[in-house]
Amino acid sequence: ANSSTWAAQNPSCPIIHRRTTAARLSDAQKASRKIKKDQRTEIMKRLHDAIIRHLQEQKHAVELLSHAHHVTLKHINDMISNQPIGSRYTLTELREMIAEDPQMQNLMRDEKATYVAALSEHREQKVSNMRANNMAAVRDVLVTTERIVKELDELRVRTGTYGTLFVIHGHINDTIQSTMHGTDNSDDFWEDVYDLPMADFLRQYEQWACTQNQSNCSDGEKDIAMNYNNYDTAIVEMYAVRLVGWPTDVNFISPSNIGTVGEIWKLHDALKGRTCYWTVLMPAEVKAHTAKLNARHSAGEVVWHPRKKRSDAGKSRKR
């Protein structure tokens, strides 16, 4: 059986056929089309000139009305326009408006560049600017996720590919609903390989994401990544800072390794309420801390935990 393509593997399914190339035109057909095009161009030019004259006359009449009734031009133009509030013009209507606007004719190159730059900035802001509130963010995530899920499912049908999608919120105060999706039977992968349901990975991913960028301090020049294993030496002794008020019933470990949501909330509330905070140590305090570390080391206690050695240490790796 032929299995060289996804279409061949599914012979009973409809196929998206390739576009056929149009037949070449003869010289007579080309000449006929050119004559019709020239005629349409001349008709459109006469119509365009007539519209320009009409708009100029209308503009002059609106100015007379503005002076006579002591109202602004915008007020009169809004009354003339029949566009309902909140509706949008179509692309064809916008092109016609530009073609009929005398101020948009014969623009200089710099003027065109200014309009293009303003449009590009507007589009960039719509893509990269932050949502103003949680409700708008939830709506954005919902609409975008639905579109991605639909595209993944359709891609699966067309090409036979598998895909998995995790969408989770990045902060514990966000109201975005975490979701997951797998095309076809992708959900079975997690249980077959890791012996855990896909939902468990979603929960762990959510816990990890909510702890990112929450435990970094700064020395004024660069960010300092938190080191829980060697906190006393790599943080307190090195940078002369100390974390005060860590909840007593929460293990002093990376928040991504904290096992329960309740403990995460306790740590979150302590940090938000500033009962858990960073403080700068005086030189005498740092000296006393170092002395205690030396005493513990002399007593045989391990005060520095080396990082685990890579399993492929000493072997060349591709860059």
Side-chain angles (χ1 to χ4, degrees):
N2 181 13
S3 59
S4 59
T5 65
W6 177 246
Q9 297 169 28
N10 299 272
S12 61
C13 296
I15 299 175
I16 302 174
H17 295 283
R18 297 176 58 188
R19 294 182 179 179
T20 57
T21 305
R24 293 187 177 182
L25 300 176
S26 64
D27 293 340
Q29 289 174 321
K30 292 180 180 179
S32 176
R33 292 194 176 191
K34 184 177 185 306
I35 292 173
K36 292 181 180 180
K37 180 181 178 181
D38 292 342
Q39 291 174 345
R40 289 196 301 270
T41 302
E42 181 62 26
I43 292 173
M44 292 304 297
K45 183 178 184 303
R46 291 199 298 267
L47 176 61
H48 177 268
D49 293 341
I51 291 174
I52 293 298
R53 290 194 298 271
H54 170 71
L55 290 176
Q56 290 175 343
E57 294 172 357
Q58 184 185 48
K59 181 180 179 181
H60 179 66
V62 169
E63 290 176 349
L64 293 177
L65 287 172
S66 174
H67 289 297
H69 296 276
H70 307 287
V71 294
T72 63
L73 294 174
K74 182 179 183 303
H75 182 72
I76 297 178
N77 288 327
D78 290 342
M79 294 179 65
I80 295 174
S81 176
N82 59 357
Q83 187 76 357
I85 297 176
S87 59
R88 297 182 179 181
Y89 292 104
T90 64
L91 181 59
T92 302
E93 291 173 337
L94 291 173
R95 287 173 174 170
E96 291 176 353
M97 292 169 62
I98 293 175
E100 296 168 359
D101 189 349
Q103 297 181 354
M104 300 301 295
Q105 312 306 316
N106 303 320
L107 293 176
M108 302 296 293
R109 181 177 298 178
D110 293 343
E111 294 175 320
K112 291 181 179 180
T114 301
Y115 282 117
V116 172
L119 177 60
S120 299
E121 182 181 0
H122 174 70
R123 289 176 174 174
E124 180 67 23
Q125 289 176 350
K126 292 185 67 176
V127 173
S128 60
N129 281 16
M130 307 299 176
R131 291 298 180 185
N133 53 58
N134 283 343
M135 183 177 295
V138 169
R139 180 62 183 170
D140 192 354
V141 171
L142 179 62
V143 172
T144 304
T145 302
E146 288 180 347
R147 185 180 71 249
I148 295 174
V149 167
K150 183 174 182 292
E151 292 180 357
L152 284 175
D153 287 338
E154 292 174 348
L155 184 65
R156 163 64 186 171
V157 173
R158 296 195 306 269
T159 64
T161 55
Y162 284 81
T164 298
L165 173 68
F166 288 104
V167 178
I168 48 94
H169 55 258
H171 194 279
I172 198 168
N173 287 336
D174 291 343
T175 57
I176 297 167
Q177 180 64 45
S178 298
T179 185
M180 59 186 181
H181 178 75
T183 60
D184 199 59
N185 62 334
S186 296
D187 296 4
D188 297 339
F189 164 79
W190 307 94
E191 293 193 30
D192 293 346
V193 177
Y194 296 104
D195 293 327
L196 289 173
M198 187 175 174
D200 283 4
F201 289 92
L202 177 72
R203 178 181 59 81
Q204 294 177 18
Y205 188 22
E206 184 179 59
Q207 289 182 355
W208 174 84
C210 289
T211 61
Q212 296 307 294
N213 301 321
Q214 303 297 315
S215 298
N216 285 358
C217 55
S218 174
D219 65 352
E221 298 180 358
K222 63 179 181 179
D223 290 336
I224 304 170
M226 184 59 172
N227 188 330
Y228 289 91
N229 291 332
N230 298 296
Y231 167 76
D232 286 331
T233 54
I235 300 298
V236 180
E237 185 179 27
M238 178 69 70
Y239 297 105
V241 293
R242 173 177 287 146
L243 189 58
V244 179
W246 186 279
T248 56
D249 52 351
V250 178
N251 292 332
F252 189 73
I253 57 177
S254 172
S256 60
N257 294 327
I258 295 177
T260 66
V261 175
E263 291 179 335
I264 286 287
W265 269 110
K266 288 181 181 179
L267 179 58
H268 165 266
D269 292 342
L271 291 169
K272 187 175 181 180
R274 296 197 59 80
T275 57
C276 180
Y277 57 92
W278 287 99
T279 183
V280 179
L281 301 181
M282 299 298 290
E285 293 176 310
V286 176
K287 187 175 181 180
H289 177 76
T290 302
K292 290 181 180 179
L293 289 178
N294 293 334
R296 289 166 53 190
H297 179 69
S298 301
E301 184 179 347
V302 177
V303 296
W304 175 270
H305 301 276
R307 294 181 60 181
K308 292 183 179 180
K309 193 174 183 180
R310 292 176 61 113
S311 60
D312 58 351
K315 300 179 181 179
S316 59
R317 296 183 292 273
K318 293 182 179 181
R319 295 290 183 181

